[in-house]
Amino acid sequence: MLDLWYKNAVIYCIDVETFQDGNDDGVGDFAGLIERLDYLEALEVTCIWLTPFYPTPNRDNGYDITDFYAVDPRLGTLGDFVNFARAARHRGMRVIVDLVVNHTSVDHPWFQAARSDPNSPYRDWYVWSKEKPEDAEDGVVFPGVQDSTWTWDEQAGAYYFHRFYEHQADLNIANPAVTEEIQKIMGFWLELGVVGFRLDAVPFLIEYTGLDSHPEGDPHEYLTELRRFLSWRKAEAVLLAEANIPMEMADEYFGRDDRMTMVFHFMLNQHLFLALARGDGRPVVDMLRNTPEIPKTGQWAHFLRNHDELDLGRLSDADREEVFQAFGPDPDMQIYHRGIRRRLAPMLDGDTRRIAMAFSLMFTLPGTPVLWYGDEIGMGDDLTQTERNSVRTPMQWNGRRNAGFSTAPAERLIRPVIADGPFGFLGLNVEEQLDRPESLFEQVRRMVRERRSHAEIGWMPYEIVDAREPAVVALSRRSKDGQILTLHNLANRAVEVRLDVPEGPVRVHRLLADGESDLHGLEQGTARLAPYGHAWIKLEPRG
Ligand code: MG
């Protein structure tokens, strides 16, 4: 078997700034993160993805970078990063980091040089126009907060292009000096112990919008170039693409085993929430059927929520409205005319059965699961925070001061901890859930363990099983010693399922299930799933 570690990985995403403060200044940091590796080891995740931790004016949660070769001094030093990377590796956890090279902060010295001198070598690192392009209002990524993709710069005497906020100027990847620099950045972090990158905003990274001249041919070729460089430097390293793409574009992103190693399956994510809203498994099943085959070494990455909004932009207007009504009916819960800025647990009314079912389904989809910190204990959101910061509140470790995140005075915290309501830290925290068998944390921990023990879920071809019940998503994987069957009831009512079991006598092993579903009839192909019930079963030929 090829050693494709990422096919059996469980990835856990952390924002260092809000995870654990190690020096009591109110800001999470690498020293704090190192202290919390015990927790990640207990959860048994195998790979940590760090959102940006580089120097930044922090107008976009670190996605506005001023130095690609350093650590934000509030979070620590390069030495602290290396300590962390080493400590994680010693516990068997790999580390991937965000690579944000579609743009830089306008405070970056490259942009400062570019704007102040038309003859600067950095001028052509960005995208300029003397006139405001006619389509400047099209294609803004943050409608409602961002008006244009071109902004006049007085000092430069020109407009610069920015796909995102106006403080994030797009780099010009048609300039070989820029692509060389991107390789240098990747090489740097690979030497410091990372095994790959979550590549930010890939569709925008490879666009030539606004450029008068650019290389001929398919811009996706650049992805091949990136992958080739990565593999030369570190064979096991991966690229995980943030690319909210329609399915017909999957080929361009995976290439022929030579572009992105993994791509987030945004389409399936949006249909999963439609399925949850309807209490009906069919949107998930239909989306799986519409997902094209990908190269053998390629892999989809699945998630429930992440650090951004729940992006529903690829659903039909009617379907999006349905999800809005179910999970984000107040205008304040919605954002950018396309998404919901809430965490998983509050969207699912804090119903542990339902949240656990959603996790379980995500863990059993064909691909690699990715968790957003705090969702494993059902953390809530804070809608008083601006834009997507609602889902980026400090980790809730215990019921003590500042939820155990920091001992700094509360007013100095990078963001307030959630104190009130059903998701407040006094009642909802890691300490309260650890070793309580039916807590969400313990249920997720068991899912991580079973997922890792059954590599066929991430590796093997799957089949959609007809369970004769539209509320249920039933998937099967066959391996040489049997079959793994996973059942998920998205409805809030008990359902009967009827399955075609293999010929001849079979032995039924219950790997994992909610406490109320009745699986005794499975040898004959029937089961009764509780409301929001879930079950992972292994069927082995008897004899
Ligand atoms: Mg600190």
Side-chain angles (χ1 to χ4, degrees), residues 14-33 35-36 74-75 373 377 379 392-418 425 428-431:
I14 292 174
D15 187 341
V16 179
E17 193 179 68
T18 51
F19 201 61
Q20 177 68 55
D21 179 12
N23 65 352
D24 301 325
D25 63 351
V27 182
D29 44 44
F30 279 103
L33 175 52
E35 290 170 30
R36 292 299 186 184
R74 299 170 313 134
L75 312 189
Y373 84 88
I377 55 167
M379 265 173 60
R392 300 165 177 171
T393 61
M395 182 69 178
Q396 295 174 194
W397 295 106
N398 55 49
R400 295 186 290 281
R401 183 179 185 169
N402 299 328
F405 162 68
S406 171
T407 57
E411 65 275 11
R412 286 182 57 201
L413 298 188
I414 175 75
R415 229 160 268 139
V417 296
I418 293 177
F425 70 87
L428 195 153
N429 60 64
V430 168
E431 204 171 271

